[in-house]
Amino acid sequence: MRREVIMSNELAGHKIAFLCKRGVEQPELTEPWKAVLEAGGQPVLVSEEAGTITAMIHDWDYGDDFTVDVTLDDAKPADYLALVLPGGTLNSDKIRTNEKAQDFVRAFVEDGKPVAPICHGAWIMIDAEVIAGRTLTSTPRIRKDLENAGATWVDEEFHRDGNLLSSRSPRDLDAFNRGIVEVFAEAASK
């Protein structure tokens, strides 16, 4: 069955930051990226260093290389409508300890902008200290980490808690993509 691509302009003129590094789970980067493009938005790959990052597929197989658009040194949260936090165990475990990445995430949360982690992507929110009192979903593998940081964890394919939009894994990408585009469009219309 061929998937019909429907282009819209809900996000026209708006940049969406994708924060990740080497080891990102490829479909958790590429599928939401495509959804943002199809909604007329401009996805931007933000990472620690210039150059390229190599994605992984299921944490075991090397995926494709992706060009970094802007480094954390130069990225300004004010330039973006929303933030996507793709998972991948290696990506998420490494980037969460970067203080600039923590500050970047914290700025979106404090400004009330949409933040969308999927799978392990929520790990950085623990280190940024912005997860207490929030409800979200993620891979069950980090459930206890989130709960220990003061969050409430739910087992849903997509969960919205105000500006926090989350999904469990790549198998939930259809629901995640629909949900984030809808909420990003709400933010764009304000």
Side-chain angles (χ1 to χ4, degrees):
M1 185 163 123
R2 191 174 151 262
R3 181 176 162 230
E4 183 179 337
V5 176
I6 299 172
M7 300 295 285
S8 67
N9 287 316
E10 299 165 294
L11 301 179
H14 295 282
K15 294 180 183 178
I16 309 298
F18 282 71
L19 178 62
C20 51
K21 67 178 292 169
R22 183 178 61 87
V24 64
E25 178 68 33
Q26 185 160 319
E28 293 175 15
L29 170 62
T30 58
E31 295 302 310
W33 186 283
K34 186 178 356 175
V36 166
L37 281 173
E38 290 172 358
Q42 180 184 349
V44 178
L45 180 56
V46 179
S47 195
E48 297 171 326
E49 299 174 357
T52 61
I53 61 171
T54 302
M56 300 294 285
I57 300 171
H58 305 298
D59 289 331
W60 297 106
D61 298 316
Y62 286 103
D64 297 321
D65 290 335
F66 297 91
T67 301
V68 173
D69 295 310
V70 63
T71 66
L72 279 166
D73 287 332
D74 297 324
K76 295 173 184 59
D79 293 342
Y80 303 96
L81 176 70
L83 173 63
V84 177
L85 299 170
T89 308
L90 177 63
N91 162 65
S92 301
D93 191 41
K94 295 293 184 185
I95 204 159
R96 72 183 179 141
T97 60
N98 182 307
E99 290 182 18
K100 290 178 184 174
Q102 294 167 14
D103 291 342
F104 194 72
V105 171
R106 195 175 300 113
F108 280 85
V109 173
E110 289 172 355
D111 288 345
K113 293 182 175 186
V115 177
I118 183 168
C119 202
H120 284 84
W123 249 348
I124 192 170
M125 298 185 78
I126 295 169
D127 290 78
E129 299 179 348
V130 294
I131 203 72
R134 303 302 299 266
T135 301
L136 76 162
T137 193
S138 69
T139 175
R141 291 182 181 106
I142 65 168
R143 174 183 182 170
K144 286 296 177 198
D145 296 336
L146 293 165
E147 290 174 340
N148 289 339
T152 299
W153 188 87
V154 293
D155 187 11
E156 298 173 8
E157 66 178 358
F158 178 78
H159 186 82
R160 178 179 183 180
D161 176 3
N163 64 327
L164 179 57
L165 321 166
S166 56
S167 280
R168 297 172 298 199
S169 72
R171 74 179 181 274
D172 299 325
L173 277 165
D174 287 342
F176 183 71
N177 293 341
R178 279 191 310 273
I180 66 171
V181 167
E182 179 181 319
V183 177
F184 294 176
E186 284 176 17
S189 69
K190 291 181 182 177

